[in-house]
Amino acid sequence: MNFSPKTKLTAVIGNPVSQSLSPLLHNTIYANEGIDAVMLAFGNPSVENLVTAIRTLPIHLAAVTMPHKQTIIPLLDEIDDEAKAIGAVNTVINREGKLTGYNTDIRGIADALQGVALKGSSVLLAGAGGAARTVAYLLQKEGAKIYCVNRDRGQAEDLTKAFGGTIIEEKDFGSISFDIIVNATPIGMKPNIDATPFGEEFIREGSAVFDLVYSPLETKLLKSAKAQNARAISGLTMFLAQGVEQERLWLEKKIDAARYQSVLEEGVRRRDG
Ligand code: NAP
């Protein structure tokens, strides 16, 4: 990479960020598209300090990750309507000192579920955290029926209150034929690769299974989906689409996501050994 006095700084901010794949994705985009910019990772427990860095350095685009997706909201100058409705920001664009917060995870989820019929479909959603709430926002908007299962019932109640749907327990999974199954928990993530949120018996042929986890690239849940002739959708599709959307917001230029799929897959393999 050739840097110049004009090289623009972008960043992934969170705590921790040492495992983030965002620098790999964004720096590859800059190199391929001839953009004089560099993305660095800044881990800090203080979201206030990170926002001060965005304003002073300045950082032109910030990819926001856990645990700052909610707490960053009051520190920004403007929040996009969709990010406001979801209650989480994963992207900050600094336009001449004015910081605007967006949520591009929603675009990532919509891309991952492209071609899957959502209207009127029954969706089993595991999790009620930030990612699950973003999934639920899209499902409600598209008219799907949400069945949420979560370890902490209070969190599931908050989700269904905000986005509709029903709370379900594992013992009742068999009573509904699910068109779509979504895992928005870390269950099955490396190193716990033998764990799965749903047994194979709940996955029906022809349904769609979307696992937000992408480490390993093929989780136990996705293996089960394939074994049941269901459509297996990896969280890497979401990660790629949300990252490309961040660049579109900053550069105001459409970027072909497909060009970067293999770079990310290789990055996951290298990172996870
Ligand atoms: P979060 O806000 O911390 O929520 C975590 C959720 O998982 C909560 O519902 C939590 O349940 C549940 N959970 C955590 N550990 C669990 C366990 N051992 N057993 C059962 N449930 C458990 O995190 P998040 O941001 O929503 O992320 C959730 C998952 O999505 C993570 O694996 C993350 O890597 C993934 N993700 C992927 C992408 C992507 O681009 N593919 C983007 C964002 C997130 P409680 O409420 O009971 O604590």
Side-chain angles (χ1 to χ4, degrees):
M1 268 181 235
N2 286 324
F3 301 126
S4 77
K6 290 184 182 156
T7 301
K8 292 203 161 88
L9 177 62
T10 68
V12 54
I13 60 169
N15 194 48
V17 285
S18 56
Q19 294 290 308
S20 173
L21 288 171
S22 289
L24 173 67
L25 172 62
H26 292 265
N27 288 325
T28 307
I29 291 174
Y30 300 151
N32 282 355
E33 311 280 336
I35 295 155
D36 189 7
V38 62
M39 177 173 276
L40 299 177
F42 294 117
N44 197 301
S46 162
V47 68
E48 287 82 5
N49 286 351
L50 290 166
V51 172
T52 301
I54 294 175
R55 291 190 192 277
T56 52
L57 290 173
I59 292 167
H60 294 265
L61 155 70
V64 185
T65 185
M66 296 309 289
H68 300 319
K69 285 185 180 184
Q70 284 91 20
T71 47
I72 200 166
I73 290 176
L75 305 174
L76 303 177
D77 302 317
E78 193 175 71
I79 309 292
D80 164 76
D81 286 346
E82 212 157 46
K84 216 181 281 171
I86 296 163
V89 157
N90 79 326
T91 308
V92 177
I93 306 292
N94 183 350
R95 295 188 184 92
E96 288 164 12
K98 184 176 178 191
L99 307 192
T100 306
Y102 298 89
N103 186 311
T104 69
D105 281 337
I106 186 77
R107 173 57 71 91
I109 293 162
D111 267 38
L113 292 174
Q114 209 169 27
V116 178
L118 298 179
K119 196 172 172 57
S121 63
S122 294
V123 185
L124 178 56
L125 170 64
R133 290 174 68 90
T134 312
V135 172
Y137 171 84
L138 179 80
L139 293 177
Q140 184 195 42
K141 202 169 115 192
E142 297 297 327
K145 280 178 268 171
I146 302 166
Y147 295 88
C148 177
V149 57
N150 193 52
R151 193 173 54 177
D152 175 345
R153 195 181 166 90
Q155 289 287 106
E157 281 167 2
D158 286 350
L159 181 146
T160 51
K161 207 179 281 171
F163 305 107
T166 313
I167 298 172
I168 191 167
E169 289 176 23
E170 194 166 346
K171 65 176 174 47
D172 299 319
F173 285 175
S175 63
I176 292 157
S177 170
F178 295 107
D179 305 302
I180 304 167
I181 285 178
V182 181
N183 177 32
T185 76
I187 299 172
M189 191 190 279
K190 247 185 158 183
N192 302 313
I193 58 169
D194 291 327
T196 181
F198 308 111
E200 205 162 299
E201 65 276 21
F202 301 117
I203 302 173
R204 72 164 175 78
E205 191 175 342
S207 65
V209 178
F210 173 28
D211 197 342
L212 271 72
V213 172
Y214 55 83
S215 171
L217 287 171
E218 191 172 66
T219 59
K220 185 170 180 187
L221 178 62
L222 293 187
K223 282 194 182 116
S224 299
K226 284 187 180 164
Q228 295 294 90
N229 288 319
R231 182 170 160 188
I233 303 166
S234 162
L236 202 68
T237 312
M238 170 182 170
F239 181 78
L240 175 59
Q242 65 76 32
V244 164
E245 176 67 3
Q246 291 177 323
E247 290 299 338
R248 191 194 66 74
L249 285 168
W250 179 42
L251 300 169
E252 297 178 357
K253 173 181 167 182
K254 198 166 165 20
I255 284 154
D256 177 16
R259 285 186 78 183
Y260 301 99
Q261 174 88 25
S262 59
V263 172
L264 274 185
E265 285 175 3
E266 191 46 42
V268 174
R269 285 194 200 97
R270 230 180 308 128
R271 182 187 69 177
D272 297 348

